[in-house]
Amino acid sequence: EVQLVESGGGLVQAGGSLRLSCAASGFTFDDYVIGWFRQAPGKEREGISCFSKSDGITYYAGSVRDRFTISSDNAKNTVYLQMNSLNSEDTAVYYCAAKKSYTGYGCLRRYNYNYWGQGTQVTVSS
């Protein structure tokens, strides 16, 4: 079975950093697209970063570009999201997700992601 488990969330001061982890089991990253999404209270879930190993495509939402970095450790089957220069607008529940695809084109959209983690809360104090 395919499972995704997020960790690393918590409370952080504005301007600080956090690193989120997404541990995957039941599949390898080959031929899968991995995405990070977040949902703040009263707002829709939005894609913030995603990548495809097969074609080397990586995307970032404009709100996090130059502050967040997505990476992976294939030996540990884990995806990371390094978050720097956090501000209050980054407060949300963060989710990792996966879909079987051979291209990362359009991977910031939540459609066709059929595997999701449980989410981890990130709270940034202002």
Side-chain angles (χ1 to χ4, degrees):
E1 63 183 44
V2 174
Q3 291 187 332
L4 301 170
V5 180
E6 303 98 332
S7 62
L11 176 65
V12 64
Q13 297 284 337
S17 299
L18 285 174
R19 189 182 73 163
L20 305 183
S21 299
C22 175
S25 62
F27 71 101
T28 62
F29 297 140
D30 291 344
D31 301 325
Y32 278 80
V33 173
I34 308 298
W36 282 99
F37 296 78
R38 69 184 182 185
Q39 187 165 23
K43 296 184 178 180
E44 295 183 349
R45 190 170 299 185
E46 63 172 338
I48 55 174
S49 186
C50 55
F51 84 95
S52 169
K53 183 175 181 292
S54 62
D55 59 7
I57 290 177
T58 302
Y59 288 118
Y60 295 95
S63 59
V64 307
R65 190 171 294 116
D66 301 325
R67 298 190 298 123
F68 291 11
T69 303
I70 192 170
S71 63
S72 64
D73 185 334
N74 292 332
K76 297 181 179 180
N77 225 40
T78 299
V79 178
Y80 304 97
L81 185 68
Q82 179 67 46
M83 307 186 296
N84 299 324
S85 301
L86 289 164
N87 58 68
S88 61
E89 295 183 353
D90 296 315
T91 295
V93 177
Y94 285 71
Y95 301 87
C96 65
K99 63 178 179 180
K100 190 171 184 178
S101 178
Y102 299 104
T103 178
Y105 180 77
C107 61
L108 287 177
R109 303 296 302 273
R110 63 179 181 269
Y111 300 113
N112 297 320
Y113 284 95
N114 52 350
Y115 304 110
W116 292 83
Q118 83 289 347
T120 184
Q121 176 71 47
V122 173
T123 302
V124 184
S125 62
S126 60

